[in-house]
Amino acid sequence: MEYFILIQACQYLDAFALTESLIRQRHNQQMFLRRNTQLLQQELELEAELLAENPELAQVIDSLNMQEIQSNQQGVQNVLGLEELASKEQSIWSKFFPGLGG
Protein backbone atom coordinates (compact mmCIF):
# COMPACT_ATOMS: atom_id res chain seq x y z
CA MET A 1 0.00 0.00 0.00
CA GLU A 2 2.80 2.44 0.88
CA TYR A 3 4.51 1.62 -2.43
CA PHE A 4 1.33 2.51 -4.36
CA ILE A 5 1.00 5.82 -2.50
CA LEU A 6 4.65 6.58 -3.21
CA ILE A 7 4.16 5.88 -6.91
CA GLN A 8 1.08 8.09 -6.97
CA ALA A 9 2.97 10.88 -5.19
CA CYS A 10 5.76 10.66 -7.78
CA GLN A 11 3.22 10.84 -10.60
CA TYR A 12 1.65 13.95 -9.05
CA LEU A 13 5.08 15.56 -8.67
CA ASP A 14 5.88 14.78 -12.32
CA ALA A 15 2.55 16.25 -13.43
CA PHE A 16 3.15 19.31 -11.27
CA ALA A 17 6.65 19.81 -12.69
CA LEU A 18 5.27 19.48 -16.22
CA THR A 19 2.49 21.95 -15.46
CA GLU A 20 4.96 24.36 -13.92
CA SER A 21 7.20 24.03 -16.98
CA LEU A 22 4.26 24.74 -19.32
CA ILE A 23 3.24 27.77 -17.26
CA ARG A 24 6.80 29.13 -17.42
CA GLN A 25 6.96 28.46 -21.17
CA ARG A 26 3.64 30.22 -21.82
CA HIS A 27 4.69 33.13 -19.61
CA ASN A 28 7.93 33.50 -21.56
CA GLN A 29 6.02 33.36 -24.86
CA GLN A 30 3.62 36.04 -23.65
CA MET A 31 6.48 38.27 -22.53
CA PHE A 32 8.19 37.81 -25.90
CA LEU A 33 4.98 38.63 -27.78
CA ARG A 34 4.33 41.66 -25.58
CA ARG A 35 7.86 42.98 -26.19
CA ASN A 36 7.61 42.24 -29.90
CA THR A 37 4.32 44.15 -30.05
CA GLN A 38 5.91 47.14 -28.31
CA LEU A 39 8.83 47.15 -30.75
CA LEU A 40 6.52 46.91 -33.76
CA GLN A 41 4.43 49.79 -32.42
CA GLN A 42 7.56 51.91 -31.94
CA GLU A 43 8.67 51.06 -35.47
CA LEU A 44 5.29 52.09 -36.91
CA GLU A 45 5.34 55.36 -34.96
CA LEU A 46 8.87 56.16 -36.13
CA GLU A 47 7.96 55.32 -39.71
CA ALA A 48 4.88 57.55 -39.58
CA GLU A 49 6.98 60.37 -38.13
CA LEU A 50 9.65 60.01 -40.82
CA LEU A 51 7.08 59.95 -43.61
CA ALA A 52 5.28 63.00 -42.21
CA GLU A 53 8.57 64.92 -42.08
CA ASN A 54 9.73 63.76 -45.54
CA PRO A 55 7.00 63.75 -48.20
CA GLU A 56 9.62 62.95 -50.85
CA LEU A 57 10.54 59.79 -48.97
CA ALA A 58 6.87 58.85 -48.77
CA GLN A 59 6.58 59.29 -52.53
CA VAL A 60 9.66 57.14 -53.20
CA ILE A 61 8.40 54.39 -50.89
CA ASP A 62 4.99 54.49 -52.54
CA SER A 63 6.61 54.22 -55.95
CA LEU A 64 8.78 51.29 -54.85
CA ASN A 65 5.75 49.54 -53.37
CA MET A 66 3.85 49.95 -56.64
CA GLN A 67 6.80 48.55 -58.60
CA GLU A 68 6.97 45.57 -56.24
CA ILE A 69 3.24 44.90 -56.63
CA GLN A 70 3.49 45.08 -60.42
CA SER A 71 6.52 42.78 -60.39
CA ASN A 72 4.68 40.26 -58.21
CA GLN A 73 1.66 40.38 -60.51
CA GLN A 74 3.89 39.83 -63.54
CA GLY A 75 5.53 36.89 -61.77
CA VAL A 76 2.15 35.30 -61.07
CA GLN A 77 1.09 35.80 -64.68
CA ASN A 78 4.35 34.21 -65.85
CA VAL A 79 3.80 31.19 -63.62
CA LEU A 80 0.22 30.81 -64.80
CA GLY A 81 1.39 31.12 -68.42
CA LEU A 82 4.00 28.39 -67.88
CA GLU A 83 1.40 26.09 -66.34
CA GLU A 84 -0.92 26.69 -69.28
CA LEU A 85 1.93 26.01 -71.73
CA ALA A 86 2.84 22.78 -69.92
CA SER A 87 -0.80 21.70 -70.05
CA LYS A 88 -0.95 22.35 -73.81
CA GLU A 89 2.30 20.44 -74.40
CA GLN A 90 0.95 17.51 -72.41
CA SER A 91 -2.27 17.48 -74.41
CA ILE A 92 -0.29 17.55 -77.71
CA TRP A 93 1.84 14.58 -76.62
CA SER A 94 -1.21 12.68 -75.46
CA LYS A 95 -2.62 12.91 -79.01
CA PHE A 96 0.42 11.04 -80.32
CA PHE A 97 0.85 8.75 -77.33
CA PRO A 98 -2.55 8.22 -75.67
CA GLY A 99 -1.05 6.08 -72.91
CA LEU A 100 1.00 8.98 -71.55
CA GLY A 101 -1.99 10.50 -69.82
CA GLY A 102 -3.35 14.02 -70.00
Side-chain angles (χ1 to χ4, degrees):
M1 183 70 172
E2 291 176 13
Y3 180 71
F4 177 73
I5 293 173
L6 186 58
I7 289 175
Q8 249 186 341
C10 287
Q11 289 173 343
Y12 287 134
L13 287 174
D14 287 344
F16 176 75
L18 181 61
T19 301
E20 183 181 18
S21 173
L22 289 173
I23 289 171
R24 287 181 190 276
Q25 183 180 3
R26 286 187 186 143
H27 173 74
N28 289 339
Q29 286 174 341
Q30 287 176 348
M31 296 307 292
F32 171 79
L33 292 173
R34 187 172 293 138
R35 180 66 181 143
N36 195 33
T37 301
Q38 290 171 346
L39 290 173
L40 288 171
Q41 185 63 39
Q42 289 174 359
E43 182 181 354
L44 288 173
E45 290 169 1
L46 179 61
E47 184 179 329
E49 185 179 322
L50 285 172
L51 293 176
E53 293 174 0
N54 301 295
E56 302 87 15
L57 178 61
Q59 183 112 21
V60 169
I61 290 174
D62 186 54
S63 175
L64 291 172
N65 285 337
M66 290 303 294
Q67 288 177 11
E68 183 180 15
I69 289 169
Q70 290 170 351
S71 176
N72 289 339
Q73 288 173 342
Q74 185 63 43
V76 168
Q77 290 171 354
N78 288 344
V79 168
L80 293 175
L82 290 174
E83 289 175 355
E84 186 177 311
L85 180 62
S87 176
K88 286 180 182 177
E89 288 177 359
Q90 186 179 15
S91 66
I92 290 171
W93 280 106
S94 65
K95 289 179 184 176
F96 294 107
F97 303 101
L100 287 178

